[in-house]
Amino acid sequence: QVQLVESGGGLVQPGGSMRLSCAASGFTREYYIIGWFRQVPGKEREEVACISSSDGGQAYLDSVKGRFTISRDNTDNTVHLQMNSLEPEDTAVYYCATDVNPGAYCDVRSGSYSWYDYWGQGTQVTVSS
């Protein structure tokens, strides 16, 4: 069973930075996609970034480009999301998830959550002064 555990959330001031981590374990496939999502009450869960285990390919939501960076630590199967220049609009519960389906690829698009197979429990990020 694949398990994903997020950490690093909390309270941060506008303009500040925060680094989230996703510890992954239990993979039986060599190639898979890890995505970071966020969700606020009453809104659809949206993907903010993804990364491929095969070639390191990445994709980002337009509103976070230049501010967020996704990366993978190959030594411990941990994926990070570095968030800079945070704004109140970034406040949400952040989740990591993985797509292990054959032919999976890294993309950020509306409804992409439907392609992911396993999810972490989420970590709260609050951007407020």
Side-chain angles (χ1 to χ4, degrees):
Q1 177 76 11
V2 174
Q3 290 188 305
L4 305 170
V5 180
E6 303 95 336
S7 62
L11 176 65
V12 63
Q13 295 183 0
S17 297
M18 183 172 285
R19 191 190 196 210
L20 305 182
S21 297
C22 174
S25 63
F27 288 101
T28 58
R29 290 179 175 270
E30 182 177 2
Y31 304 113
Y32 49 87
I33 304 297
I34 296 291
W36 279 100
F37 292 77
R38 66 187 182 188
Q39 187 168 30
V40 299
K43 299 294 182 65
E44 183 178 277
R45 188 171 299 187
E46 67 175 354
E47 190 169 13
V48 299
C50 61
I51 188 168
S52 171
S53 70
S54 61
D55 61 3
Q58 303 168 22
Y60 296 90
L61 182 69
D62 284 345
S63 63
V64 309
K65 288 180 179 177
R67 299 190 298 122
F68 290 12
T69 303
I70 191 170
S71 63
R72 180 173 183 268
D73 186 338
N74 293 320
T75 66
D76 61 2
N77 289 111
T78 300
V79 174
H80 306 282
L81 185 68
Q82 178 66 45
M83 305 184 294
N84 299 325
S85 301
L86 285 163
E87 302 292 339
E89 305 96 284
D90 296 314
T91 295
V93 176
Y94 283 72
Y95 301 86
C96 65
T98 185
D99 180 356
V100 298
N101 296 291
Y105 61 94
C106 181
D107 194 15
V108 172
R109 60 192 300 180
S110 177
S112 64
Y113 61 86
S114 66
W115 298 105
Y116 286 76
D117 305 287
Y118 301 97
W119 295 82
Q121 293 301 303
T123 184
Q124 176 71 47
V125 173
T126 301
V127 185
S128 176
S129 59

